[in-house]
Amino acid sequence: MSVKDRREESMAAPGIEVQPHELSIVIPVLDEAAGVVEHLQALQGLRAHGVELVVVDGGSRDDTVALAAPLADRVEQAGRGRGRQMNAGARCARGRALLFLHADTRLPADALPAVRQAIGDASPWGRFDVRIVDGPAALAMVAWAMNLRSRLTGIATGDQAMFCTRAAFDRAGGFPEIPLMEDIVLSRRLRAIARPACLRTRVETSGRRWARHGVVRTVLTMWWLRLRFWLGASPEALARAYGYAPR
């Protein structure tokens, strides 16, 4: 049995079986044909036990939609932008709780019982710790710093697989439909409702961004963009500085 097969078997274990539509996982995608099948296959054990998978495409020019369709409960189209896509997914999702999962982030085998317990303990929202994989060894320190900062500030990033009850999501007004920092803004809105459950269970996210641009350069860029955001710079200007190119 392969590592992936063992993982799927673990995720489908009876001990973490959920009722239909107790949870919906919303996955925004854009030109993810190279990895979307593997990503969704790893979630099929959860889907078999009633977790709804909602994929929201932001205008892919490759075969992402066709490849995702057999492996998801719903595939929706929305304008480009993770905030816009995740809001569209939340609107059509039927789960009482929502988990927002980036296409390059993988859930751990015990994700569902962890989320269930966090929400059951009266935390209406939360996030996972993160481990950055497929990159330089220095990324272990980057992940450690991300997790610590998030735990201290109550602010989460999209790489940490944010989750919340539908009631909390609606009360917070959903994601702002801006091209960057949508996760930071939603975290601030949710933090005004309650402190997050900061799970030590780790998701794994790809280090491809750091590997492509260099660890130090990427970290400094993100710090600089976040500082500018706190000082009032527009998300559109920050997105352009980050390399976002409108289609």
Side-chain angles (χ1 to χ4, degrees):
M1 182 182 292
S2 69
V3 172
K4 185 171 74 174
D5 290 338
R6 288 196 299 272
R7 184 176 183 178
E8 290 183 12
E9 181 179 75
S10 175
M11 293 177 80
I16 63 170
E17 184 171 344
V18 295
Q19 297 302 313
H21 314 314
E22 177 181 352
L23 178 76
S24 294
I25 299 177
V26 177
I27 307 167
V29 295
L30 179 67
D31 295 335
E32 294 287 349
V36 70
V37 170
E38 181 180 0
H39 184 39
L40 293 176
Q41 283 178 337
L43 299 171
Q44 293 308 298
L46 298 177
R47 186 185 179 200
H49 287 277
V51 175
E52 183 184 37
L53 300 186
V54 180
V55 174
V56 187
D57 183 69
S60 293
R61 296 175 176 175
D62 59 14
D63 294 329
T64 297
V65 171
L67 292 170
L71 299 170
D73 295 286
R74 301 179 69 98
V75 177
E76 300 291 328
Q77 294 283 347
R80 184 185 179 192
R82 278 176 170 159
R84 184 177 290 111
Q85 290 171 244
M86 290 186 288
N87 283 342
R91 283 193 295 271
C92 69
R94 292 174 288 178
R96 294 189 295 274
L98 305 167
L99 188 152
F100 299 96
L101 187 66
H102 287 186
D104 57 359
T105 299
R106 302 292 182 263
L107 291 176
D110 57 348
L112 266 294
V115 170
R116 176 184 282 166
Q117 181 175 347
I119 292 176
D121 289 342
S123 295
W125 76 288
R127 77 351 166 237
F128 293 83
D129 273 359
V130 66
R131 176 187 293 113
I132 305 172
V133 298
D134 301 325
L139 291 178
M141 182 59 69
V142 173
W144 177 85
M146 289 172 60
N147 297 331
L148 177 62
R149 182 189 66 237
S150 176
R151 190 164 276 107
L152 293 175
T153 64
I155 297 296
T157 67
D159 291 334
Q160 293 174 303
M162 295 170 62
F163 58 86
C164 59
T165 63
R166 178 174 292 279
F169 184 79
D170 290 344
R171 182 177 171 186
F175 286 95
E177 297 190 354
I178 55 180
L180 200 65
M181 304 292 179
E182 74 287 337
D183 47 0
I184 304 300
V185 175
L186 180 60
S187 291
R188 291 167 64 181
R189 293 174 178 175
L190 289 169
R191 189 182 60 181
I193 299 171
R195 291 284 297 183
C198 296
L199 306 186
R200 295 193 181 275
T201 303
R202 295 184 179 184
V203 296
E204 293 184 349
T205 193
S206 171
R208 61 188 180 183
R209 182 176 68 229
W210 285 272
R212 184 167 61 247
H213 299 298
V215 174
V216 173
R217 179 183 176 186
T218 301
V219 169
L220 292 177
T221 297
M222 293 308 300
W223 283 355
W224 175 236
L225 292 175
R226 190 166 295 184
L227 175 62
R228 290 179 60 191
F229 180 69
W230 291 124
L231 292 175
S234 75
E236 290 75 19
L238 298 179
R240 289 193 296 270
Y242 187 61
Y244 178 92
R247 292 184 174 179

